[in-house]
Amino acid sequence: MIASLHPPAHALELLEPVAESHGAPSPHSGSAMSAAFHSPSRRKPSVLHIFKIYYPDLFGGTLTVIHRICADLRESFSFSALVCTALGGARTIDVDGVPVERVRSLGDFLSLPMAPTYPFRLWRRMPRHDLCVMHAPFPLADLVLGFGFGRRQPFVVHWHADITTRSALRPIVQPFIRRTLRRASAIIVADEVLARETPILREFADKCRVVPFGIDVEKYIIPEAERAAIATAKRQNPGVVLACGRLVPYKGFDVLIHAAALGDFTVWIVGAGREQSYLEELAAELGVQDRIRLLGAVSDEHLVRLLHLAEVFVLPSVTDAETFGLAQLEAMAAGCAIVNTALNTAVPMVARHGIEAYTVPPRDPVALADAVTALLGDSETRQRFGEAGQQRAAACFSSQMFKSKIEDIYFESASPVPSRVEEPARAQERGLSIAGMARLAAVLAWSDVRHRYVRSILGPFWMSLQLLVTVGVLGAFTSQMTRTEPFGVLPTLAVSLTVWSFLNGVVLDAMNALPNAANLIKDRAVPPPVFLMQCFFRQALFALHNAIVPLGLWLAFGSLRIDNVVAALPGFLLFCGCALGLALTLGALATRFRDVKPIVESSLMLAFLASPVMWTAASSNPKALVLKLNPVTHLFSVWRQPLLDGTLAPESMALVVGLLAFLVAASGFALRQMRRAAFWI
């Protein structure tokens, strides 16, 4: 194990401040546009920050940028944030005056939070704000924005990095990212090199706005009263090399530890993350655990003192996911000499080779060790780099310049803010678009689920228990009939029954939805399609609760491959599209023609028995006519076959795409005819 996760006790004592010093807030830079927004009769525009995580769950560069924007522009805007959390705690917390709503996540998958309710929360939150700001990359939000929900809301993207490490994810999410960028009124990048070198950003060059990150250099100058303590700490801890960042692979801290094994210097690493155990084991394996200290997350004030204690600051990042290196800018402001890596991003442009830094090739521990050793042995070069870094930070990366440019972009992009008296009248005048109806339907569906299980301890998970029992009984029966291993069929049977229950529930609910809402439809309080969409979303929520059963069985008895899950996603999206189309079409038909409902109910029972739900097509005769002509067979095949073995029958995909096209046309016709729904009921 590493000797300590914190600096030595005497070093911490010496680094305690003699007296707290708070810099005065920078004055607000007013403009004609901001003056209009600050009119006494108007409220401040509300801005929603959209990202995957925030303080206090994690500390990092992107989170620091969000925090500084909220702190610097709080006089001009009203900020809030929507993020994910896997650590539990309160749903809404206050972080330095900013309300942060934290959607519960089940953990990370391909570096993305598994937060199934996040899209619904985002749909509900977006219309409440005058401007939505997404910090990319965040594909979970791209899925919502890419489908066109909230398209009327003004929208800005802060582009922090491209997806560089998850190549399997790129082809799936890139179309959604492209649609997100197409929607944005502005794309903010920290350096021109990002707009020039990132392929997808070149398509939107006219929207890219270069705003270098800013820093208040004064905050990184140690007061005179504390300098003696810093000098004493330096004498007791000579030759400290400091690094700072989240403990994730692209930061290259493993390369820095290898470099420390080749050289003779002490490394302190500030930050927290999933790589901590690996870095501890690596240091022990290389025999340098006494010279490597993982300090965890520290306060801003403590970080400033550590920067002055260190002789050299290292940014050893190894991929282009490191687009700027805000930590090296903080080190420059503190007058610390830099060693960074030659990435194809702004990193070597911020601290330049031979002027403020030594720049070495990424993933090269020998070159990194040589550069650090050279700086540690040359006090004149360290001083020259430190002074040049301070001058460059003050001249080119001013916090006031960053604040002013961000403020202008936000004001230009935000919608005009009506007075509170005007808002209800304008809301009544606006009609509901399809996206608006979908958003309202999602809200009603969520309310249905909450009220249905308001006094229940397990809530919708009672259905999950029922599904688990059903799967167990049917699994035992099916394994005896097919003479297969009982536990082998359970995962496939569970996921098939979950999806069938979703489809069956959507169709049956939709045929009763409009008659059950007769009063609201006759009063023209809510458009009829909302109630049909509500059925879809309600059943989707039930399916998400039931999904824990197949997931648990697959983890226990199956071998679920990530690439198979990715391959099944397009087919599953087609399946969901067909389910929604059936709800809209059959819901309208069953209301207009009362004979449709008993016919469909009987057909569903026959379809369940004649379709590969409890069994697979492979266990029967795949060439059977009843399978080839049964649309449910192909609806299941397009997602289940890729999930099981990664293959897909082209004829099934073609038939389902054709079915979806037909249902889209039929749904469009049904939506137009539903204007007469009040006369059908």
Side-chain angles (χ1 to χ4, degrees):
M1 290 293 291
I2 291 180
S4 173
L5 297 184
H6 301 280
H10 62 271
L12 285 175
E13 292 170 2
L14 290 170
L15 291 177
E16 286 299 320
V18 176
E20 291 294 332
S21 174
H22 298 280
S26 54
H28 171 66
S29 57
S31 63
M33 188 175 298
S34 64
F37 274 90
H38 287 133
S39 171
S41 62
R42 295 177 178 269
R43 60 180 174 85
K44 291 189 291 188
S46 61
V47 177
L48 176 67
H49 285 286
I50 303 167
F51 195 51
K52 58 186 177 181
I53 200 166
Y54 196 56
Y55 300 139
D57 292 358
L58 194 66
F59 293 81
T62 301
L63 311 184
T64 301
V65 172
I66 299 173
H67 182 266
R68 288 180 179 172
I69 290 173
C70 294
D72 292 346
L73 299 179
R74 67 178 60 193
E75 295 179 5
S76 305
F77 300 94
S78 173
F79 290 105
S80 61
L82 181 66
V83 301
C84 304
T85 181
L87 301 182
R91 177 174 176 176
T92 301
I93 62 174
D94 185 281
V95 179
D96 293 337
V98 176
V100 178
E101 181 180 352
R102 309 192 302 169
V103 179
R104 191 61 51 87
S105 170
L106 303 177
D108 286 348
F109 174 73
L110 294 177
S111 299
L112 291 177
M114 293 187 293
T117 61
Y118 188 94
F120 297 102
R121 293 301 306 156
L122 185 55
W123 288 348
R124 294 187 66 180
R125 289 291 302 272
M126 289 181 69
R128 305 177 191 174
H129 299 274
D130 305 301
L131 178 66
C132 295
V133 178
M134 192 188 91
H135 296 265
F138 187 22
L140 188 61
D142 285 311
L143 293 176
V144 178
L145 299 164
F147 276 117
F149 294 103
R151 67 179 62 189
R152 295 184 179 181
Q153 295 304 117
F155 184 67
V156 167
V157 172
H158 279 270
W159 186 270
H160 295 277
D162 198 2
I163 298 175
T164 58
T165 56
R166 304 292 181 182
S167 57
L169 192 63
R170 276 181 81 101
I172 298 172
V173 302
Q174 198 157 42
F176 295 98
I177 295 175
R178 186 172 282 106
R179 294 192 66 180
T180 298
L181 297 179
R182 190 177 295 119
R183 275 196 49 199
S185 57
I187 303 169
I188 301 174
V189 295
D191 194 274
E192 186 179 352
V193 69
L194 295 179
R196 187 175 63 247
E197 298 296 332
T198 307
I200 196 170
L201 289 186
R202 288 199 290 265
E203 302 175 26
F204 304 94
D206 57 322
K207 292 185 178 183
C208 291
R209 306 281 292 273
V210 178
V211 183
F213 294 136
I215 196 166
D216 184 2
V217 177
E218 297 296 325
K219 292 173 61 176
Y220 293 85
I221 298 177
I222 291 292
E224 187 69 33
E226 296 185 31
R227 293 183 182 177
I230 294 293
T232 302
K234 269 195 170 185
R235 287 194 297 271
Q236 295 179 353
N237 298 273
V240 171
V241 175
L242 186 68
C244 181
R246 289 188 297 126
L247 304 186
V248 291
Y250 80 84
K251 290 292 185 179
F253 293 132
D254 55 337
V255 180
L256 179 57
I257 292 175
H258 278 284
L262 297 173
D264 184 18
F265 48 84
T266 299
V267 175
W268 289 3
I269 300 176
V270 174
R274 63 179 185 271
E275 290 279 295
Q276 178 165 330
S277 298
Y278 165 69
L279 296 177
E280 291 175 352
E281 294 169 2
L282 178 62
E285 180 183 333
L286 297 176
V288 293
Q289 63 270 29
D290 58 331
R291 293 192 283 119
I292 305 295
R293 301 187 186 278
L294 303 183
L295 308 184
V298 303
S299 66
D300 291 343
E301 294 79 6
H302 194 183
L303 177 60
V304 171
R305 299 180 197 108
L306 289 173
L307 288 170
H308 282 270
L309 173 66
E311 300 288 359
V312 177
F313 182 87
V314 179
L315 189 76
S317 303
V318 294
T319 77
D320 289 348
E322 187 73 82
T323 56
F324 188 89
L326 187 60
Q328 72 173 337
L329 183 57
E330 295 175 328
M332 290 164 61
C336 195
I338 308 291
V339 176
N340 59 20
T341 51
L343 302 175
N344 296 318
T345 63
V347 168
M349 310 293 180
V350 175
R352 300 163 295 180
H353 179 65
I355 304 177
E356 298 91 15
Y358 280 146
T359 301
V360 300
R363 302 184 191 276
D364 190 340
V366 176
L368 185 59
D370 290 345
V372 171
T373 302
L375 276 178
L376 289 175
D378 189 346
S379 59
E380 292 184 3
T381 301
R382 290 202 309 273
Q383 183 176 356
R384 176 164 54 86
F385 282 3
E387 292 174 353
Q390 280 186 316
Q391 294 173 4
R392 180 165 172 76
C396 302
F397 302 100
S398 160
S399 60
Q400 185 60 39
M401 186 184 305
F402 176 75
K403 169 188 172 182
S404 177
K405 288 186 176 181
I406 293 295
E407 184 180 45
D408 287 345
I409 293 172
Y410 281 12
F411 274 135
E412 290 170 9
S413 302
S415 60
V417 184
S419 67
R420 296 191 182 274
V421 177
E422 295 171 339
E423 285 178 359
R426 293 195 178 190
Q428 290 177 359
E429 293 171 4
R430 289 196 301 262
L432 280 177
S433 64
I434 293 179
M437 288 190 287
R439 185 166 56 247
L440 177 58
V443 172
L444 292 174
W446 178 252
S447 178
D448 279 352
V449 175
R450 291 182 62 185
H451 285 86
R452 182 177 298 186
Y453 299 98
V454 66
R455 291 184 180 87
S456 172
I457 297 175
L458 294 180
F461 289 107
W462 278 112
M463 295 185 302
S464 304
L465 291 175
Q466 181 183 358
L467 175 65
L468 183 60
V469 173
T470 304
V471 169
V473 173
L474 290 179
F477 175 75
T478 304
S479 64
Q480 290 181 4
M481 293 292 293
T482 58
R483 297 182 180 180
T484 57
E485 176 65 29
F487 294 125
V489 302
L490 290 181
T492 305
L493 180 60
V495 72
S496 299
L497 287 177
T498 300
V499 176
W500 170 259
S501 298
F502 165 68
L503 178 63
N504 187 69
V506 167
V507 173
L508 293 179
D509 273 6
M511 291 189 296
N512 296 313
L514 299 186
N516 290 343
N519 292 334
L520 290 173
I521 293 173
K522 289 178 180 178
D523 292 341
R524 297 184 179 276
V526 180
V530 169
F531 301 105
L532 300 179
M533 295 180 185
Q534 180 185 0
C535 299
F536 175 84
F537 287 119
R538 181 168 57 238
Q539 293 299 326
L541 288 172
F542 291 151
L544 286 173
H545 283 89
N546 288 341
I548 65 171
V549 175
L551 181 60
L553 291 174
W554 228 304
L555 293 175
F557 306 117
S559 56
L560 190 62
R561 292 171 54 92
I562 293 177
D563 51 349
N564 287 359
V565 174
V566 172
L569 284 177
F572 187 72
L573 292 176
L574 287 174
F575 179 90
C576 292
C578 290
L580 180 58
L582 284 171
L584 295 172
T585 305
L586 294 179
L589 282 173
T591 307
R592 177 65 179 86
F593 305 103
R594 300 303 171 92
D595 295 334
V596 170
K597 182 180 175 182
I599 294 174
V600 172
E601 289 176 344
S602 302
S603 300
L604 283 173
M605 179 59 69
L606 292 174
F608 177 73
L609 296 174
S611 303
V613 178
M614 292 190 298
W615 42 277
T616 62
S619 62
S620 61
N621 181 9
K623 298 181 179 180
L625 191 61
V626 69
L627 292 179
K628 287 189 173 183
L629 299 181
N630 185 355
V632 178
T633 300
H634 303 288
L635 280 172
F636 271 68
S637 176
V638 293
W639 61 266
R640 191 169 62 180
Q641 203 59 37
L643 188 64
L644 295 177
D645 57 19
T647 63
L648 176 64
E651 61 273 14
S652 292
M653 179 62 76
L655 286 170
V656 171
V657 170
L659 176 61
L660 180 61
F662 169 77
L663 289 173
V664 168
S667 300
F669 179 76
L671 288 172
R672 289 193 297 271
Q673 296 301 315
M674 263 187 275
R675 298 169 184 171
R676 308 173 186 174
F679 301 100
W680 300 346
I681 301 170

